[in-house]
Amino acid sequence: MTLLVRDLAQVATPATGAGAPIRGRALRDVHVVEDAFVLCEEGEIAAVGPMRELASLELGDVEELDGRGLCAIPGLVDCHTHPCFLGDRVGEFALRAGGASYEELHAAGGGILSTVRATRAGSADDLRAAVERHRSWMLRAGTTTFEGKSGYGLDRDTELASLEAVAAAGGVPTWLGAHAVPPEFDDADAYLDFALAEVLPDAAELVQAADVFVEQGAFDLQQARRYLEACRDVGLALRLHGDQFTELGAVGLAIELGARSIDHLEATGGAGVRALAASEVAAVLLPASALFLDRPMPPARALADAGAAIVLATDFNPGSAFCESLPLVCSLACTQLHLAPEEALAACTVNAAHVLGLADRRGRIAAGFDADLVLLDAPDWRHLAYHLGGELVATVVQRGAVAWAR
Ligand code: NIG
Ligand code: FE
């Protein structure tokens, strides 16, 4: 099938040629074509350019999409979400509004463990339906590639069903086998004995990456090392939830083990910023989570200026970030993290694709890439960040076909 998106006000994409991930000044290199078209063939981008060059192309049978008044950006890539859950935490949200803290609720057996209880109580079909529902919310916000973590099962069957549900919804599953210690185990080490012996061998068949929550009340540095080394030994890429509330040394561990990313970083200080910038580990920033929990924002400006590979994601989950919108995250990136719109765009497209090992096909509008586009109802692509919530996404094209239209 051939789809021609024509008469677009702008096509904007992180510049090609810079490789991935993009760092430093190059993060601001967005390539903009005015009065433009994008031609998609067999799910890939065949050509992109100004309308005046369209005449020189041999076009057979094409379906046309009118892009007048719209801007095309690459389909957004959300490289950090937790969509495999049942129930919600709106009650806790109300308690937090009244002054309770996230850590207090967690320590009292609420928080992540309350979602674990709700998730275990459902069937695999319930989980599949939940992930599909969450995926459709993401799609409407412009996300065409999503990563989804397990971590609300923490028993063998629910963890594997979670990973299968993400794959069934077209996502990239990540095994978050070390998210919390479930109540049937006395301590984190006993739980890890089980998870590494009983779950890892099957999880490794379903995923390319594993993740761990390094935090007081979750997994300490030594436990995280044990979990990550076991995952690395079976060939998985490594990711960490680190420095969300406490700087426990997760940055150093991530660098030492050659992790793909460390995510959160709200508590990261100057030494961590410098170490990350000098490393290959991507820094995944989750400003919706910091906002939702009323926590300090991560040192994004310092990371970007020091040369770190910065990435933006939603952290979509029922407790710390009930937010599926990367455009909203881009807005927060500009107003709260002081990133430029250009840096925000690169951070949730090409750099996020890098974290998922997909940067050769996703995150840019260029010939040969997957034909994933978001058409923004705006005369300038920077409305992506300028428009604080609201009706911004007009149409989403996924693998060369319209997947959602307003
Ligand atoms: O990334 N911090 C740990 N995990 C999630 C929150 C999970 C939850 O509260 O249910 C996060 O913020
Ligand atoms: Fe998370």
Side-chain angles (χ1 to χ4, degrees), residues 80 82 241 264 315:
H80 182 143
H82 305 251
H241 282 66
H264 274 292
D315 197 21

Side-chain angles (χ1 to χ4, degrees), residues 72-97:
I73 59 169
L76 301 175
V77 179
D78 198 343
C79 71
H80 182 143
T81 88
H82 305 251
C84 306
F85 64 87
L86 298 175
D88 63 43
R89 304 241 288 279
V90 67
E92 277 186 13
F93 180 76
L95 289 174
R96 284 202 297 109

Side-chain angles (χ1 to χ4, degrees), residues 2 11 14 34 63 78 82 101 165 210 221 257 281 308 319 376 379:
T2 304
V11 170
E34 311 269 346
E63 188 184 322
D78 198 343
H82 305 251
S101 80
L221 213 56
L257 297 182
V281 182
L376 304 176

Side-chain angles (χ1 to χ4, degrees), residues 156 160 175 194-206 234 236:
R156 188 172 176 283
L160 297 177
W175 184 46
F194 156 78
L196 296 175
E198 306 294 331
V199 190
L200 172 60
D202 292 315
E205 300 293 317
L206 301 169
V234 297
L236 299 182

Side-chain angles (χ1 to χ4, degrees), residues 102-177:
Y102 180 79
E103 300 103 298
E104 281 161 18
L105 293 164
H106 183 79
I112 295 171
L113 290 177
S114 74
T115 299
V116 170
R117 285 190 289 277
T119 304
R120 285 178 173 182
S123 67
D125 281 346
D126 294 336
L127 253 183
R128 256 196 296 274
V131 175
E132 182 54 35
R133 180 160 185 252
H134 300 149
R135 180 206 69 89
S136 76
W137 296 351
M138 295 182 204
L139 183 73
R140 279 176 265 171
T143 295
T144 51
T145 301
F146 78 99
E147 178 257 18
K149 303 175 195 299
S150 65
Y152 292 120
L154 306 178
D155 61 29
R156 188 172 176 283
D157 289 354
T158 318
E159 282 297 292
L160 297 177
S162 297
L163 299 172
E164 276 161 3
V166 172
V172 178
T174 297
W175 184 46
L176 177 51

Side-chain angles (χ1 to χ4, degrees), residues 192-216:
L192 289 179
D193 290 343
F194 156 78
L196 296 175
E198 306 294 331
V199 190
L200 172 60
D202 292 315
E205 300 293 317
L206 301 169
V207 303
Q208 277 157 21
D211 198 342
V212 54
F213 183 22
V214 184
E215 190 54 68
Q216 284 166 7

